[in-house]
């Protein structure tokens, strides 16, 4: 491996970082207002955010924004998120990754299999949240004869939200606490060459090969 | 009615603040003596001072296709042909049933937006309502209706303002045939049972009192000539709080909350046990420190 290990390379383009930031803001708003309606113990969140009525008005609109942004990410990242044979090897070593025995973890492309899993879960859950959310939003337009749709909507919305919360906890925990440099990558966009080698060796090599090292 | 009468309050942990005891009240609807005059509909509109809803000409004796945000009392009309070819006009007063176990209240996420008084009346407090419509999913009788202009939900109050001061509901006051009665539920059930006996003697062997146990009984008790077929009147046979709503507000909530806490706790334990990844970029560690190649 040649090159200066401290040299910084671009991991996320400006547009990717911008969309990620707005998605995060929309998600956190949806999460907080949603939790307020989910359990009375957290209703105070809705009051702090302008009241239950306002939260009810804005939550669905924030949901629409969120889904559009997730759609953008899907289009932008779907190639990088495809499962490769290397991912299967990575998955078998998941235990080592989780216990920080990274020397025993096979190399990854731009995203590792865990990140790809999170991506797929969020995209699928967003579709479920959108469809069920529309049912909650326009419940008065769901005819009484089709009331099973109302029942399905409350259950699907809550379950899909719970699934995303699980993914979200893991995602934020990994990015903020476990992987140093992860936060800077998604906010400022750059990582060190060493970071790229350590966490996404195959991606790093492909960048070098295509001489696409967008250094600063 | 006052805080001291509150027996149940939506989205609030029990106990509710009420301390007063009160006899459970009920409205008796005897569908067999209803003549379809709609005096109750008018009285309801007048007492509650509700803006008029535009009626729909649907070729029936029914004022509107269904209950509406400004229309809480609807005489539903069905033509029924019996086995002998006899034609019957069935009139049934549709309104909030004031369930002892109200699905609307169970589903409501807004503290205090739906309350139940010690006398059994279920009341919506529109100033606390956030307009989510969960009550419309929880109600087994399709009663609460959404007003898109105000973004809130409305229904019959059983004239809680009148009954609180000892008056009967406006609809009962206006009914010219005595088909509507109001009073303590226990005594009205006796009246209803006697009426059913009379109907049976008159050849309606299937006559019955509709006071569905699936929702703990209702504050609106209905005498049906065809008590074996409540569907004829647009009433569900065995109404209950929908299973989906019970699961959602019960086990799913506790499992979900436990899972969220377990997730947070798991992350904390993981962090204490394994901490940050040892391989990191040069921004976090001095260059030249020994590191694993990948
Ligand atoms: C995708 C578009 C979405 C739409 C149209 C939508 C719409 C709705 C509506 C109309 C409600 C009923 C009460 C309210 O308005 O707050 C609701 C509840 C809720 N939403 Fe969303 N939402 C969406 C996305 C999300 C997302 C991304 C989350 C993330 C966690 C979320 C979490 C929740 C939760 C937890 C509830 C309360 C559920 C319950 O009480 O069981 N929603 N949503
Ligand atoms: S009939 Fe519907 S709105 Fe009335 S108390 Fe029962 S569940 Fe609530």
């Amino acid at each position: 491996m040649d090159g200066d290990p401290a040299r910084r390379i671009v991991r996320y383009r400006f547009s990717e970082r911008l969309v990620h930031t707005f998605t995060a803001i929309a998600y956190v708003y949806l999460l907080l207002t949603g939790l307020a309606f989910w359990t009375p113990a957290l209703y105070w969140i809705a009051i702090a955010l302008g009241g239950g009525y306002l939260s009810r008005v804005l939550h669905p609109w924030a949901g629409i924004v969120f889904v559009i942004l997730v759609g953008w990410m899907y289009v932008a990242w779907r190639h990088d998120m495809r499962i490769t044979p290397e991912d299967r090897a990575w998955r078998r070593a998941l235990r080592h990754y989780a216990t920080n025995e990274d020397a025993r973890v096979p190399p990854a492309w731009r995203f590792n299999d865990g990140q790809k899993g999170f991506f797929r879960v969020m995209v699928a859950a967003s579709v479920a949240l959108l469809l069920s959310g529309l049912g909650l939003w326009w419940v008065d337009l769901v005819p009484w004869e089709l009331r099973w749709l109302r029942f399905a909507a409350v259950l699907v919305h809550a379950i899909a939200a719970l699934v995303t919360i699980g993914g979200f906890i893991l995602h934020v925990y990994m990015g903020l606490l476990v992987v140093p440099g992860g936060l800077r990558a998604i906010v400022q966009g750059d990582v060190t060459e060493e970071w790229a080698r350590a966490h996404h060796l195959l991606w790093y090599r492909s960048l070098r090969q295509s001489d696409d090292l967008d250094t600063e | 009615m006052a805080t001291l009468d509150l027996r149940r309050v939506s989205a609030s942990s029990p106990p509710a603040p009420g301390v007063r005891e009160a006899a459970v009240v009920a409205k008796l609807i005897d569908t067999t003596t209803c003549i379809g005059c709609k005096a109750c509909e008018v009285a309801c509109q007048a007492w509650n001072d509700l803006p008029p809803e535009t009626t729909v000409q649907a070729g029936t004796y029914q004022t509107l296709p269904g209950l509406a945000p400004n229309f809480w009392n609807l005489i539903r009309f069905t033509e029924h042909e019996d086995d002998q070819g006899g034609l019957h006009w069935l009139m049934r007063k549709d309104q909030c049933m004031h369930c002892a176990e109200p699905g609307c209240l169970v589903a409501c996420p807004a503290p205090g937006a739906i309350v139940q008084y010690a006398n059994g009346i279920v009341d919506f407090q529109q100033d606390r309502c956030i307009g989510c419509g969960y009550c419309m999913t929880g109600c087994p009788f399709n009663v609460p209706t959404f007003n898109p202009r105000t973004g809130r939900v409305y229904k019959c109050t059983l004239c809680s303002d009148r009954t609180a001061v000892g008056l009967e509901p406006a609809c009962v006051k206006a009914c010219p045939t005595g088909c509507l009665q109001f009073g303590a539920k226990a005594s009205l059930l006796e009246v209803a049972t006697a009426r059913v006996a009379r109907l049976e003697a008159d050849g309606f062997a299937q006559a019955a009192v509709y006071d569905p146990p699936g929702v703990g009984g209702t504050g609106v008790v209905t005498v049906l000539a065809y008590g074996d077929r409540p569907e004829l009147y647009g009433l569900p046979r065995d109404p209950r709080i929908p299973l989906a709503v019970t699961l959602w507000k019960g086990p799913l909530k506790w499992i979900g909350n436990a899972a969220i806490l377990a997730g947070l706790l798991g992350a904390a334990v993981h962090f204490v046990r394994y901490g940050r990844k040892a391989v990191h970029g040069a921004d976090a560690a001095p260059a030249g420190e020994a590191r694993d190649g990948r």
Side-chain angles (χ1 to χ4, degrees):
Chain A
M1 247 4 103
D2 56 347
D4 171 7
R7 197 153 58 120
R8 306 206 74 96
I9 58 179
V10 171
R11 176 154 171 82
Y12 294 109
R13 281 177 283 121
F14 175 68
S15 55
E16 291 172 316
R17 274 137 56 202
L18 197 68
V19 168
H20 180 272
T21 305
F22 284 131
T23 315
I25 293 171
Y27 180 83
V28 170
Y29 178 80
L30 287 161
L31 176 65
L32 291 176
T33 49
L35 283 177
F37 301 124
W38 162 249
T39 175
L42 298 177
Y43 192 76
W44 57 269
I45 299 177
I47 295 172
L49 292 175
Y53 190 86
L54 182 71
S55 302
R56 167 60 177 83
V57 169
L58 293 186
H59 178 105
W61 290 107
I64 300 295
V65 171
F66 174 77
V67 168
I68 292 172
L69 294 172
V70 169
W72 188 96
M73 289 180 171
Y74 178 77
V75 172
W77 290 342
R78 66 185 191 286
H79 299 298
D80 288 335
M81 291 291 179
R82 258 197 221 121
I83 301 297
T84 65
E86 292 86 350
D87 289 326
R88 281 182 267 276
W90 192 96
R91 200 175 308 159
R92 280 192 292 274
L94 182 62
R95 197 165 46 84
H96 302 303
Y97 183 81
T99 53
N100 292 350
E101 298 169 330
D102 291 330
R104 305 177 66 180
V105 179
W109 293 95
R110 186 177 183 201
F111 299 106
N112 66 39
D113 192 55
Q115 293 170 308
K116 292 179 184 179
F118 175 68
F119 175 80
R120 281 200 303 276
V121 165
M122 288 312 257
V123 168
S126 297
V127 173
L129 282 164
L130 176 67
L131 295 178
S132 57
L134 292 175
L136 296 182
W137 198 0
W138 305 111
V139 57
D140 55 318
L141 303 185
V142 179
W144 182 244
E145 293 66 35
L146 296 180
R147 57 192 176 280
W148 64 269
L149 282 172
R150 301 183 185 181
F151 306 148
V154 290
L155 290 180
V156 169
H157 205 73
I159 292 170
L162 285 168
V163 167
T164 68
I165 292 170
F168 181 69
I169 292 174
L170 195 63
H171 178 70
V172 172
Y173 171 59
M174 296 295 297
L176 237 47
L177 293 177
V178 178
V179 182
L183 180 65
R184 172 157 180 167
I186 197 62
V187 176
Q188 278 152 282
D190 58 347
V191 294
T192 61
E193 271 193 54
E194 190 197 25
W195 187 98
R197 276 211 306 269
H199 297 292
H200 299 277
L201 183 63
L202 300 175
W203 171 66
Y204 173 74
R205 282 194 193 136
S206 72
L207 287 186
R208 284 195 70 87
Q209 261 157 32
S210 63
D211 206 20
D212 198 15
L213 272 191
D214 223 346
T215 51
E216 289 180 359
Chain B
M1 259 187 266
T3 314
L4 297 188
D5 293 306
L6 293 178
R7 186 207 285 169
R8 268 199 247 203
V9 181
S10 63
S12 309
S13 344
V19 290
R20 290 187 187 137
E21 303 284 337
V24 171
V25 296
K27 181 192 290 178
L28 176 63
I29 301 173
D30 181 357
T31 57
T32 62
T33 51
C34 174
I35 55 171
C37 72
K38 321 287 172 64
C40 55
E41 292 182 357
V42 175
C44 179
Q45 295 297 101
W47 173 259
N48 292 299
D49 208 359
L50 295 172
E53 288 277 349
T54 310
T55 58
V56 181
Q57 174 52 276
T60 104
Y61 286 109
Q62 200 170 302
T63 312
L64 282 176
L67 295 168
N70 295 336
F71 200 81
W72 305 340
N73 172 151
L74 174 71
I75 299 298
R76 285 194 181 270
F77 172 81
T78 350
E79 280 182 4
H80 170 63
E81 210 179 311
D82 66 21
D83 305 335
Q84 283 83 45
L87 189 67
H88 300 260
W89 284 6
L90 306 182
M91 309 277 184
R92 199 258 306 178
K93 185 176 183 310
D94 192 8
Q95 61 159 95
C96 172
M97 304 295 276
H98 297 275
C99 310
E101 283 151 28
C104 56
L105 191 150
V106 169
C108 178
I114 303 182
V115 297
Q116 186 178 43
Y117 300 117
N119 65 5
I121 293 179
V122 177
D123 220 353
F124 285 11
Q125 310 288 316
Q126 278 80 13
D127 56 339
R128 305 243 182 141
C129 172
I130 61 172
C132 66
Y134 285 0
C135 54
M136 302 170 75
T137 303
C139 174
F141 296 100
N142 193 19
V143 164
T145 46
F146 183 78
N147 180 334
R149 190 181 65 76
T150 63
R152 289 174 169 93
V153 175
Y154 301 81
K155 71 163 189 70
C156 156
T157 67
L158 207 69
C159 284
S160 56
D161 48 351
R162 292 173 57 91
T163 54
V165 294
L167 298 172
E168 58 193 357
C171 55
V172 177
K173 178 102 181 159
C175 179
T177 68
C179 131
L180 299 181
Q181 298 175 46
F182 178 79
K185 181 168 177 181
S187 50
L188 280 187
L189 279 177
E190 284 171 25
V191 175
T193 316
R195 179 65 194 155
V196 165
R198 200 36 219 284
L199 285 166
E200 283 169 346
D202 285 353
F204 287 94
Q206 338 77 338
V209 181
Y210 187 83
D211 180 24
V215 290
T218 49
V220 170
V221 176
T222 315
V223 171
L224 302 175
Y226 298 98
D228 57 336
R229 275 180 288 170
E231 310 84 45
L232 286 180
Y233 302 83
L235 283 168
R237 174 172 293 272
D238 182 20
R240 298 171 178 280
I241 298 180
L243 179 64
V245 171
T246 312
L247 289 176
W248 166 42
K249 292 287 166 172
L252 184 59
K253 179 174 303 181
W254 299 121
I255 294 171
N257 288 348
I260 294 173
L261 289 178
L264 293 172
L265 210 68
V269 170
H270 182 272
F271 192 68
V272 173
R273 173 68 182 80
Y274 297 107
R276 294 161 84 80
K277 287 207 171 287
V279 185
H280 42 59
D283 55 339
E289 196 183 285
R291 282 181 211 100
D292 191 310
R294 14 173 238 205

